[in-house]
Amino acid sequence: MNLTFKNRTALVTGAGRGIGKAIAETLARSGVMVICVSKSAESCGATAAGIVAAGGKASACAVDVADGAAVAKASEELLKAYPLIDILVNNAGITRDGLLFRMGEGDWNDVISTNLSSCFHWTKHLARPMTRARWGRIVNITSVSGILGNAGQANYSAAKAGMIGLTKSLAREFAGRNITVNAVAPGFIKTDMTTEFVNNPEVAAKILEAVPLKRFGESADIAAATAFLCSEEAAYVTGQVFAVDGGMAM
Ligand code: NAP
């Protein structure tokens, strides 16, 4: 099925690598203008340059999504250049794993601010023009850890579960303005975030015991689900958590 996008502009956080890069490239292939955000100018710049070289429309913006003031400033500048950013994909995320008694307050705060508070800040700034336009799509990339919990990931699971609560609340708040808000919950996907697990045969085998489809996912699997939720075709879907996890959380 070809997805329909009517002259849309998207902002994708964490678009420099992995899942965010795949989402940015997939939306761009459907004709969406994509603002690629990442922490380093090199990685979002490379993604945007790749999209433009392939004939798509993209720009890059380096901003630390964990810094609310920086997100406010970047949003203000971006909205001058693109008055209506009608698709927002909150994908940037980090892990700082450890069992609770060994988890420092810094590890807790960094994970909460990067994964969860960033969604609050971006949505607050970018959703207002969507409400005026009476059309918008917001997709938050959560995790199977936010649904099931995971030993050693109290900070990450709490942030990802928080994203699900945020998604459902904002879906209710914005429904009257024709803005849908959904979450995608990846399982184990092959990216820089999971290299150390995927490349360790013993750890990989242990993880795959919990994956009914018995393989790791690809960034393209998450990009396909996200693109659908951003499209016209998903107009009647809101407040949902779409697990793309090989069956882990069923
Ligand atoms: P990744 O390969 O580590 O890439 C993370 C991206 O996020 C990078 O582009 C990075 O920017 C950006 N980023 C991190 N911190 C940032 C910050 N403070 N400000 C701006 N950008 C920041 O991660 P991934 O595996 O693609 O994961 C993407 C999302 O999916 C995350 O939210 C993750 O929690 C979620 N997820 C992943 C998996 C998995 O198995 N991979 C499973 C479940 C959920 P730079 O390029 O500049 O470093």
Side-chain angles (χ1 to χ4, degrees):
M1 181 172 75
N2 282 331
L3 297 173
T4 311
F5 292 92
K6 297 179 181 168
N7 201 22
R8 303 294 178 196
T9 300
L11 184 141
V12 180
T13 70
R17 292 181 280 124
I19 291 170
K21 182 171 189 250
I23 292 170
E25 291 170 346
T26 302
L27 290 174
R29 275 197 299 276
S30 295
V32 175
M33 156 72 208
V34 185
I35 303 161
C36 303
V37 171
S38 69
K39 195 165 184 177
S40 82
E42 291 74 27
S43 72
C44 59
T47 301
I51 289 172
V52 171
K57 290 171 281 180
S59 65
C61 174
V63 51
D64 180 354
V65 302
D67 179 344
V71 171
K73 189 163 173 282
S75 300
E76 197 184 320
E77 280 164 19
L78 287 167
L79 287 170
K80 283 183 200 151
Y82 310 98
L84 178 58
I85 298 168
D86 34 23
I87 298 172
L88 167 63
V89 181
N90 285 306
N91 163 80
I94 56 166
T95 52
R96 296 281 183 271
D97 296 352
L99 295 171
L100 185 74
F101 294 134
R102 287 192 218 131
M103 186 178 287
E105 201 174 336
D107 294 332
W108 174 266
N109 288 333
D110 287 351
V111 167
I112 298 291
S113 57
T114 305
N115 293 271
L116 176 59
S117 305
S118 60
C119 302
F120 164 74
H121 292 295
W122 282 112
T123 308
K124 204 169 159 141
H125 296 294
L126 300 188
R128 200 176 285 282
M130 294 184 204
T131 63
R132 284 192 215 106
R134 298 284 198 276
W135 196 96
R137 296 280 188 268
I138 299 169
V139 179
N140 297 321
I141 308 300
T142 174
S143 168
V144 70
S145 299
I147 300 172
L148 299 176
N150 194 17
Q153 286 197 314
N155 50 1
Y156 184 76
S157 302
K160 294 304 192 184
M163 288 173 74
I164 293 174
L166 180 74
T167 298
K168 289 175 182 272
S169 294
L170 295 183
R172 292 182 188 279
E173 272 188 41
F174 291 147
R177 300 300 174 111
N178 196 32
I179 299 168
T180 66
V181 189
N182 291 289
V184 172
F188 276 91
I189 311 300
K190 286 189 271 179
T191 68
D192 293 349
M193 188 178 271
T194 54
T195 311
E196 63 180 299
F197 308 122
V198 172
N199 290 346
N200 179 327
E202 271 174 39
V203 178
K206 187 84 189 138
I207 290 170
L208 291 178
E209 280 174 19
V211 182
L213 285 178
K214 296 292 168 219
R215 63 173 178 84
F216 294 104
E218 304 289 340
S219 292
D221 295 319
I222 309 305
T226 305
F228 168 69
L229 291 170
C230 294
S231 70
E232 289 297 324
E233 283 74 12
Y236 202 51
V237 182
T238 198
Q240 299 304 306
V241 183
F242 191 162
V244 183
D245 62 358
M248 275 181 90
M250 73 171 128

